Amino acid sequence: MTVLVLVGVLGLAVFGCVCVVWAERGGPTWVRAVAAVTVGLGKVLQSSGKQRGGSSSSGGDD
């Protein structure tokens, strides 16, 4: 059961990334909406990681 949940989450993440790329190239409205949600969730997760101080990223591109 856990594997199915993880596969589903991975599938949604890949779908969101595909929509972000497609929206950058001028995709339909629903793709832009999915891309906006994906980018927004990414920013929320990134900021929550910074608040906890547990960011393990070695990149300094902020």
Side-chain angles (χ1 to χ4, degrees):
M1 181 66 183
T2 304
V3 173
L4 290 176
V5 171
L6 291 175
V7 168
V9 169
L10 179 63
L12 287 173
V14 170
F15 178 70
C17 292
V18 168
C19 286
V20 168
V21 172
W22 191 5
E24 285 292 320
R25 296 174 181 249
T29 305
W30 69 269
V31 171
R32 293 183 205 151
V34 172
V37 169
T38 302
V39 170
L41 284 174
K43 288 183 180 185
V44 166
L45 290 174
Q46 184 179 20
S47 67
S48 71
K50 286 182 180 179
Q51 288 174 355
R52 286 185 289 153
S55 179
S56 61
S57 174
S58 61
D61 58 350
D62 287 343

